[in-house]
Amino acid sequence: MQSNRRELAQQLYTASHIEGQFVLRSGVTSSEYFDKYLFEADPVLLRRIAETMAEMVPPDCELLAGLEMGGIPVATILSQVTGLPVLFVRKKAKEYGTCKLAEGGDVAEKRLLVVEDVVTSGGQIIESCRALRGRGARVESVVCVIDRESGGAENLAKEGLLLRPLFTMSELKSSAQS
């Protein structure tokens, strides 16, 4: 099991790690970046990620909530693996038509698991969870593929949210060296 996890970490690192100068959503500049779209566009790798993440889904979860935009492909394939329905959560509610924040179902009184790809500070997750809670959703947990270990877990904890990453940045770097 541990060797499969290490192999998955190596594949994820190889597929998506790039170097250069990058400004992150948090405003921080980084010399390395995990291009989530590179692993999300690979159907075989994305499925392996979802199969491994399926073990992280709480047993009382009723709906998966994929955050726009990177969390949506991860949540969709995780839905396929687990059989749980998926919601597509916008950064802000539509201002036309149904004016929904979350497409795909009603969130009121439902226990949601928020699904994200890469977490840095957790800012957008916090905003989205506040909005979902404001619509009656019960949100306590967040899963992500990569935690950049840049304060996201701590910021989410202040909001009563538990972050469960598939991999931390440290784990991915370590896998690349082994």
Side-chain angles (χ1 to χ4, degrees):
M1 183 69 153
Q2 191 67 6
S3 65
N4 287 342
R5 185 171 165 73
R6 187 172 30 256
E7 178 186 308
L8 178 57
Q10 289 169 341
Q11 286 180 331
L12 182 58
Y13 185 91
T14 300
S16 60
H17 182 260
I18 55 178
E19 295 180 354
Q21 288 293 80
F22 306 96
V23 177
L24 306 178
R25 182 188 185 279
S26 62
V28 172
T29 300
S30 177
S31 61
E32 62 184 344
Y33 188 74
F34 282 91
D35 187 341
K36 58 194 174 191
Y37 299 112
L38 293 175
F39 70 75
E40 291 174 343
D42 180 331
V44 174
L45 180 55
L46 187 57
R47 178 136 191 121
R48 282 200 65 206
I49 288 167
E51 288 169 346
T52 307
M53 286 181 82
E55 301 166 11
M56 300 163 57
V57 176
D60 60 350
C61 175
E62 296 175 272
L63 296 167
L64 302 172
L67 300 187
E68 182 185 354
M69 174 164 143
I72 289 176
V74 179
T76 301
I77 193 81
L78 188 57
S79 171
Q80 290 293 305
V81 170
T82 63
L84 290 167
V86 66
L87 300 170
F88 309 108
V89 182
R90 299 174 180 279
K91 290 184 179 170
K92 65 177 194 162
K94 284 192 324 186
E95 296 177 0
Y96 59 91
T98 59
C99 299
K100 289 183 178 181
L101 173 71
E103 301 288 351
D106 186 24
V107 301
E109 300 303 316
K110 301 287 187 192
R111 187 168 302 279
L112 275 56
L113 174 65
V114 170
V115 180
E116 187 60 292
D117 50 10
V118 179
V119 173
T120 304
S121 68
Q124 184 59 54
I125 296 170
I126 290 169
E127 290 176 28
S128 295
C129 287
R130 285 178 181 164
L132 289 165
R133 286 172 170 169
R135 288 162 173 76
R138 293 180 287 169
V139 186
E140 298 169 0
S141 299
V142 177
V143 294
C144 68
V145 180
I146 303 169
D147 176 5
R148 289 184 59 91
E149 299 173 294
S150 298
E154 296 81 8
N155 292 336
L156 293 173
K158 291 175 189 171
E159 295 286 322
L161 297 164
L162 173 66
L163 177 64
R164 299 187 62 210
L166 181 59
F167 296 108
T168 63
M169 180 83 93
S170 301
E171 288 175 307
L172 291 176
K173 286 181 181 180
S174 175
S175 76
Q177 296 168 355
S178 55

